[in-house]
Amino acid sequence: MTVESTAARKPRRSSGAKRPAGAASAAKAGKAAAAATAQTHVAEPQFVQLLTPEGDRVEVADNPDIAEFAPFVADITTDDLRGLYRDMVMTRRFDGEATALQRQGELGLWASLLGQEAAQIGSGRALRDDDYVFPTYREHGVAWCRGVDPTNLLGMFRGVNHGGWDPTTNNFHLYTIVIGSQTLHATGYAMGVAKDGADSAVIAYFGDGASSQGDVAEAFTFSAVYNSPVVFFCQNNQWAISEPTERQMRVPLYQRAQGFGFPGVRVDGNDVLACLAVTRWALERARRGEGPTLVEAFTYRMGAHTTSDDPTKYRRDEETAAWEAKDPILRLKAHLVATGGADEAYFQELEAESEILGKRVREVVRSMPDPDTMAIFENVYADGHALVDEERAQFAAYLASFEGGE
């Protein structure tokens, strides 16, 4: 069909013609009605919760939606719960120390995880040693679960290295600053895992803001088509820096998975048990060859996006206060106290242990040596590269030109 024939099918309006009175308001009303109708067709969001904000366990009889996931934490012991609580407390203490160090000029920048401890510890403890993690730049709790020394996370933010740890040691990739790109890395790695015939799984972490990136959509497409053993774990902390979720999506985030042909689940991201259970379920699906899963951990970023951000400019105190009442650490503490799983002596002992961690972090950061000038050329390519060798030689010659100069 030609352009002219297409145009011929449309009614033409002369340049001097005017729309009937009230037409503009009627059109606006029609659009509003259509939008309202579209919203009514959105399915009620699923919400997997195993531990209420008050610290009470949710029973399957009270919420049938959790029946598929509850068995994945059915064997959890009091010691397990205490371990999860310790993980969250230690992670929060480290994170708070890192924020303070940045304010004191010891770090150039820091991205806090405050409020997201349950999402990270729950999902992190669901992983096996042979699973592989692709984080963003905020997964300090997952790094803790993978055995990465917390002080190693700080080198990049101090500007003394490009990462600070060997990804192959803990199957924990380096932090990724480019928003959303790690989902593609995870998908490619998972495709390799499948081709190797291994039964391990891969998990990619990203935020609600990153879910709007094209890289994430491409990762969803490839992982679905190739049935890759990957779990996409989205921490929806309600804010993509200063952009709220309602300006990013029309439907609940986890429902996006339907359009790509794999399941999505929304979990209470402040409930460490629910995050543990749902992530275990998703990882088992991947290992059985059932393909990818999108997990949306519905949580909240209690602090700033990074230390260069001021959240008081764009969000209300009432909103933050409402989420403080859902604090993931206080939630599990209430459960431990109510069930006799821990006493005050345990909490005091843990507090003292966290202070020791904070002191060690301060000492290590302040004593980090400046990097060797030529280190910038190391670990760029696994097997070396002729262009990098040439650049290294040129830079060495440039530095040598200053030797003995006045």
Side-chain angles (χ1 to χ4, degrees), residues 46-58:
Q46 179 189 40
F47 194 64
V48 179
Q49 184 183 84
L50 301 180
L51 197 64
T52 69
E54 295 73 31
D56 300 323
R57 286 291 293 267
V58 178

Side-chain angles (χ1 to χ4, degrees), residues 363-406:
E363 293 174 348
V364 171
V365 166
R366 289 171 175 166
S367 62
M368 282 182 175
D370 290 337
D372 179 77
T373 307
M374 301 302 293
I376 191 174
F377 299 101
E378 303 301 323
N379 303 313
V380 179
Y381 288 90
D383 300 319
H385 193 281
L387 181 57
V388 175
D389 293 340
E390 180 183 345
E391 292 171 341
R392 181 190 291 108
Q394 290 175 350
F395 191 60
Y398 171 74
L399 293 177
S401 70
F402 292 96
E403 295 180 1
E406 294 298 329

